[in-house]
Amino acid sequence: VLDVSLLDLESKQVARVIWRDAHVRVSPEMKLLVPKNCVVRDVLDVVRAKMGLPEGTRLRMMEVWDHRIFKHLKEDEAFHVYGESSSWHCEEIPPEEQQHADAVLVKVAHIYRDSTYSLAQAFGVPFYIPVRQGHDKGRDVKARIQAKLQVPDEEWATWKIGTVMSSTP
């Protein structure tokens, strides 16, 4: 039994959105019914209401494909569901990030490198870490990544951190 009219349903699209907390833990996927001609801000408003967040809470949305951030969506950008290959992740913008408008958002992903075939395979949940040029040192950024992921020191000592340059956005 449908709880919305068929006419209303035809003017909507189903957005599969994943909410992430401050430590990059994901909640179960939400299936949101949003207008076909909406913008990202409209979807963020629905997510904000669904998560019970206060009205002024700043959120961001990104398109994730193959465990990598493909695109950071702007609030005034048209929102379209293209298929099942991508997912949309939403998160609250941390207050410390809001204080430093000069910070560059660096994409962080978990990568497994197969030395046999020289292939890099992404896994896990990608995220952003703000980096301020001239202020943040490499060890500071590494410590913030460890804190964000809540990785114990013993395990963190086994991780290798590297920079991967990419020509994709």
Side-chain angles (χ1 to χ4, degrees):
V1 175
L2 290 175
D3 58 352
V4 293
S5 74
L6 194 53
L7 187 60
D8 193 31
L9 191 60
E10 287 177 347
S11 67
K12 307 264 182 173
Q13 60 185 337
V14 176
R16 296 173 24 244
V17 177
I18 296 170
W19 174 257
R20 304 173 344 174
D21 70 10
H23 299 290
V24 196
R25 290 184 298 251
V26 298
S27 65
E29 178 181 271
M30 296 181 275
K31 291 184 179 169
L32 309 175
L33 201 56
V34 296
K36 285 185 179 177
N37 60 348
C38 70
V39 294
V40 171
R41 182 180 307 104
D42 299 330
V43 180
L44 291 176
D45 289 343
V46 173
V47 170
R48 191 177 292 110
K50 193 116 171 138
M51 297 306 296
L53 300 170
E55 182 75 27
T57 305
R58 295 199 48 216
L59 304 178
R60 76 169 136 237
M61 178 179 262
M62 60 212 84
E63 184 176 4
V64 174
W65 185 79
D66 193 28
H67 303 281
R68 293 183 175 129
I69 297 171
F70 178 70
K71 183 179 182 185
H72 180 101
L73 302 171
K74 295 178 176 66
E75 286 193 5
D76 59 350
E77 185 176 339
F79 182 82
H80 299 286
V81 176
Y82 297 110
E84 299 292 321
S85 61
S86 292
S87 62
W88 288 268
H89 291 221
C90 284
E91 65 184 6
E92 183 176 352
I93 300 173
E96 61 274 7
E97 189 178 316
Q98 294 178 39
Q99 294 171 354
H100 301 290
D102 60 335
V104 175
L105 292 178
V106 175
K107 298 173 185 177
V108 179
H110 299 85
I111 296 178
Y112 167 77
R113 183 171 297 281
D114 183 350
S115 59
T116 308
Y117 300 106
S118 296
L119 296 174
Q121 180 66 42
F123 66 95
V125 181
F127 60 94
Y128 287 114
I129 196 87
V131 176
R132 293 174 37 210
Q133 286 185 309
H135 293 88
D136 292 326
K137 307 272 189 276
R139 69 178 168 275
D140 300 331
V141 174
K142 286 171 65 173
R144 289 202 335 256
I145 291 171
Q146 180 184 7
K148 185 172 186 94
L149 297 175
Q150 296 181 320
V151 178
D153 290 338
E154 308 81 52
E155 183 182 344
W156 184 252
T158 66
W159 289 28
K160 294 180 183 174
I161 306 295
T163 303
V164 178
M165 302 303 281
S166 174
S167 61
T168 59

